[in-house]
Each structure stands twice: as structure tokens, then as C-alpha cells.
């Protein structure tokens, strides 16, 4: 009895399941993050943005544009993270309908729309026809039908397998032509570095797939 007297005096309108969570140094969000509970005893306050009340203050100024309440004037447009996105799509913040974004990419449903057209290929769900191949970020110059998550690998001087070594991608921008001529039926996954990979043609027999096959010349001759 009496343990909650001090708490009730300080937060008379704060009704939460675990009062000990108030002011414990961690923003617990939801029922704790309100004016009656002092914004979780101050744990949910965002430095520099006193009117910004979100459940994950660490998202503010994290370098990644977060949406909803984060991308608002009170939160400094997510601490500045959403400024570039807001310039491109000015109606897609503070409860806007995102008409400009949806008009450009009507079928694009992604967790972070700000990554579309950011200048960096985000790959995965962003690299789709509906999302304009990540707003153009994943398009490979000279190979319009080449859709890979690492476009910088195309024509970088190293032969990459899998989806990079295809006709659409110009046989990895030409990097795999010599390899394909030597081993036309050697199919190596994209995670392997072909011929520049330490285990291929290094004089040491690596007797495991995909190197140790007839199609791959028994590890580039190492196992012959």
C-alpha cells in the first residue's frame, strides 16, 4: 500500500498496466506515450522536436524516411529524412493522399516509398515493373531488359553468374563472354565469383558443386 502515491501525484491521469515503465529510459509507446503519462515520463520525447510524439523516437533522423506521424512538420519531416521524398511527392505526407506517387507507380506497394527513385537500387520488392524498377534506380544502362538487384556488377570486370550472366544482361555486360566460351554449360549461382573466385582454377581441386562438374571443367581443370 502506498507504493503508487508518488506516481499518482505526478501522473494523476496516467492509467497504464506497468507504471514502472514510465521514465525507465525506454519509449514504450502506445498507452504510455501520451500527455497524461508525460510522454512515457519523457522517454518518448524527441530532442529538438518538442511537439513530435511518436512511438519510435529513434526513427527521427535515422537516415531513412519514415511515414505517418514521423513525416510531419512537428517532427521536422522525420528529422529531415523525408525532405527529398517530399520534394518529389509533395502530397504524400501529413495525411496526404499520395496522389502524385500513386499516379507514377499505381501498383507499387512497398514498405518505404521514399526509396523509389532515391538514386540507390534497393532491389527486392522495389525492383519490379510496378515500381518502375525502383524508380529507375535499378535500370542497367544499355540493357533495358536486365533486372538485377546489383546493377553495378554489370560490366564491372568480374564475371558473375546466375541472373547477371544472361542474354538480357549482355552476359554480365560482357564480363562472362570468355567464361561462357570456355564453359558453355557451366551454370554457377550469382553468389559465386567465377574464375576470379579463389576456388576456381587455382590449382587446388575443390570437389563440390557447382565447381566439381564436367560442365565446369572439373573446377576449371583443378580436378582433372
Amino acid at each position: 500500500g502506498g507504493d503508487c502515491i508518488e506516481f499518482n501525484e505526478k501522473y494523476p491521469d496516467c492509467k497504464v498496466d506497468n507504471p514502472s515503465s514510465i521514465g525507465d529510459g525506454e519509449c514504450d509507446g502506445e498507452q504510455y506515450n501520451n500527455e497524461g503519462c508525460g510522454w512515457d515520463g519523457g522517454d518518448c520525447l524527441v530532442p529538438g522536436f518538442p511537439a513530435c510524439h511518436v512511438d519510435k523516437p529513434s526513427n527521427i533522423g535515422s537516415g531513412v524516411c519514415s511515414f505517418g506521424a514521423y513525416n510531419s512538420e512537428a517532427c521536422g519531416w522525420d528529422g529531415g529524412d523525408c525532405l527529398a521524398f517530399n520534394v518529389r511527392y509533395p502530397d504524400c505526407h501529413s495525411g496526404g493522399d499520395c496522389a502524385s506517387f500513386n499516379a507514377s507507380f499505381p501498383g507499387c506497394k512497398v514498405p518505404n516509398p521514399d526509396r523509389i527513385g532515391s538514386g540507390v537500387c534497393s532491389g527486392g520488392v522495389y525492383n519490379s515493373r510496378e515500381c518502375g524498377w525502383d524508380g529507375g534506380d535499378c535500370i542497367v544502362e544499355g540493357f533495358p531488359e536486365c533486372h538485377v538487384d546489383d546493377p553495378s556488377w554489370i560490366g564491372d570486370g568480374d564475371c558473375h553468374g546466375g541472373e547477371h550472366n544472361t542474354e538480357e544482361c549482355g552476359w554480365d555486360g560482357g564480363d562472362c563472354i570468355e567464361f561462357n566460351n570456355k564453359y558453355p554449360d557451366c551454370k554457377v549461382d550469382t553468389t559465386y565469383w567465377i574464375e576470379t573466385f579463389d576456388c576456381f582454377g587455382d590449382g587446388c581441386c575443390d570437389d563440390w558443386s557447382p565447381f566439381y562438374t564436367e560442365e565446369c571443367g572439373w573446377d576449371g581443370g583443378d580436378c582433372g
Side-chain angles (χ1 to χ4, degrees), residues 7 10-11 14 21-29 32-47 49-50 52-54 57:
F7 176 87
K10 191 171 184 178
Y11 305 108
C14 183
S21 293
I22 303 293
D24 65 351
E26 296 289 335
C27 177
D28 296 289
Y32 300 87
N33 190 17
N34 57 63
E35 188 174 5
C37 294
W39 313 110
D40 195 16
D43 294 336
C44 294
L45 294 176
V46 183
F49 304 101
C52 178
H53 304 300
V54 291

Side-chain angles (χ1 to χ4, degrees), residues 72-134:
S72 64
E73 186 175 5
C75 292
W77 314 114
D78 195 24
D81 293 336
C82 292
L83 290 176
F85 178 84
N86 293 342
V87 169
R88 294 198 302 272
Y89 307 107
D91 58 0
C92 203
H93 60 81
S94 298
D97 59 10
C98 287
S100 57
F101 178 86
N102 292 330
S104 299
F105 309 105
C108 182
K109 308 299 181 185
V110 291
N112 297 295
D114 65 296
R115 292 187 179 182
I116 303 294
S118 66
V120 178
C121 178
S122 301
V125 295
Y126 301 87
N127 190 16
S128 66
R129 188 177 303 278
E130 292 76 15
C131 294
W133 311 113
D134 196 18

Side-chain angles (χ1 to χ4, degrees), residues 6 20 41 43 45 66 70 79 85 97 99 106 120 175 190 205 214:
E6 183 178 351
S20 61
D43 294 336
L45 294 176
S66 303
Y70 300 86
F85 178 84
D97 59 10
V120 178
D175 294 335
T190 189
C205 177
E214 182 177 1

Side-chain angles (χ1 to χ4, degrees), residues 152-160 172-176 178 193-194 196:
S152 63
W153 286 10
I154 304 296
D156 67 348
D158 291 311
C159 175
H160 305 273
D172 195 21
D175 294 335
C176 290
E178 181 180 353
W193 295 84
I194 306 169
T196 58

